[in-house]
Amino acid sequence: MWTWDIIFSLLAVGSAAGFIAGLFGVGGGTLIVPVVLWTLQLQGISSHPYAQHLAIGTSFAVMVFTTFSSMYAQHKKSGIDWQTVRCMTPSMIFGVLVGAVTAKYMPTRALQIFFIAFLTLIALKTLADSKPKASRHLPALPGLSAVGTLFGAASSWVGIGGGSLSVPFLMYCNFPAHRAIGTSSGLAWPIALAGTIGYLVTGWNVPDLPRGSGGFLYLPAVAILSIATMICAPLGVKMAHKLPARRLKISFGIMLLLIAIKMAWNLIR
């Protein structure tokens, strides 16, 4: 049953997710997935065998709107390296679709443990201000395609927009922090779109999904969350361009560490 308390809670979380998405070039899925699960619980359907798939699919659908808003705001500030986006997008879309199709067969616990360890390592290196060699640059197209496929699949399996992976990768390749975050926002939108299509199609013929579902998308939550994220994402972009590069990089490292801690807590629970 939908109440104003639920709606206002979704709007609040959506606003925070949108701001964070704009600030760091991510999709905001780390906030959206748990709040969708909470919404399903309040609706009395959290025990559904595909509740996690619904949460991830819904997160991708919301991120379609969030990341487009961030991408447009970054484009207006000339913050996106479109050549990199064009090179990585096809492989990332392929990875997301493969991930969506294979998600139900993945060893979720092992994948989450690996992802937590990986994010923690990247966060600590970012906070330590570990500087890559000056000679390091983006790999050639085959290397970019391999990285894009891996990032797309991982994004699909854990329900994130990919910025948590692409921003550190771009900074590792000597992108300035602002440029890395702006370019990541350009990569996040096709990931979100491909993920949405993948979870829509794979869940389309699944029986007994909750009322209001379209495949593995819980449409009432998509509508409410998308409104808030689209409004607040440009505010995050504006704030990102006001912050000094060093402070922005540290803030991103803290965000990665918080994501890792939150995922570890969920795993322990």
Side-chain angles (χ1 to χ4, degrees):
M1 181 177 182
W2 288 90
T3 65
W4 283 110
D5 288 345
I6 297 175
I7 293 172
F8 285 135
S9 296
L10 288 176
L11 289 172
V13 171
S15 298
F19 183 81
I20 291 172
L23 183 63
F24 296 122
V26 298
T30 51
L31 286 176
I32 295 171
V33 169
V35 81
V36 174
L37 286 171
W38 170 74
T39 304
L40 294 174
Q41 181 181 7
L42 293 178
Q43 304 297 322
I45 49 181
S46 60
S47 60
H48 193 281
Y50 288 105
Q52 185 71 24
H53 293 75
L54 280 165
I56 294 176
T58 299
S59 175
F60 272 121
V62 174
M63 284 191 284
V64 169
F65 299 94
T66 311
T67 56
F68 182 84
S69 183
S70 297
M71 180 178 65
Y72 181 68
Q74 287 283 6
H75 174 68
K76 289 197 297 184
K77 292 183 176 294
S78 301
I80 301 176
D81 186 330
W82 284 110
Q83 182 176 354
T84 300
V85 172
R86 286 192 293 270
C87 288
M88 293 188 71
T89 292
S91 59
M92 293 186 90
I93 291 176
F94 174 73
V96 170
L97 294 176
V98 170
V101 172
T102 59
K104 64 178 72 176
Y105 307 110
M106 291 301 299
T108 305
R109 187 176 182 85
L111 182 67
Q112 288 177 333
I113 292 172
F114 171 79
F115 201 74
I116 290 167
F118 179 79
L119 282 186
T120 301
L121 176 63
I122 295 298
L124 294 176
K125 287 178 68 68
T126 303
L127 291 172
D129 199 22
S130 177
K131 298 186 183 300
K133 296 179 181 179
S135 59
R136 184 173 291 128
H137 301 290
L138 285 175
L141 184 59
L144 277 181
S145 297
V147 169
T149 301
L150 176 62
F151 287 0
S155 299
S156 188
W157 288 328
V158 297
I160 61 174
S164 302
L165 301 173
S166 59
V167 171
F169 169 71
L170 293 172
M171 288 195 293
Y172 177 78
C173 295
N174 278 305
F175 270 56
H178 291 91
R179 193 71 166 171
I181 287 173
T183 303
S184 177
S185 71
L187 292 168
W189 185 74
I191 286 180
L193 184 61
T196 300
I197 295 172
Y199 276 84
L200 173 69
V201 172
T202 55
W204 191 256
N205 293 318
V206 173
D208 302 322
L209 289 175
R211 183 178 180 184
S213 299
F216 287 136
L217 316 181
Y218 191 44
L219 299 179
V222 171
I224 297 171
L225 287 164
S226 296
I227 292 171
T229 59
M230 287 190 69
I231 292 172
C232 293
L235 301 178
V237 171
K238 188 175 181 180
M239 176 63 72
H241 282 269
K242 287 184 177 180
L243 288 174
R246 168 67 178 154
R247 187 175 299 177
L248 185 62
K249 189 175 180 180
I250 290 175
S251 300
F252 183 79
I254 292 172
M255 185 204 70
L256 289 183
L257 195 57
L258 290 174
I259 291 173
I261 292 171
K262 174 185 169 297
M263 290 181 70
W265 174 249
N266 290 343
L267 196 63
I268 292 170
R269 290 176 60 193

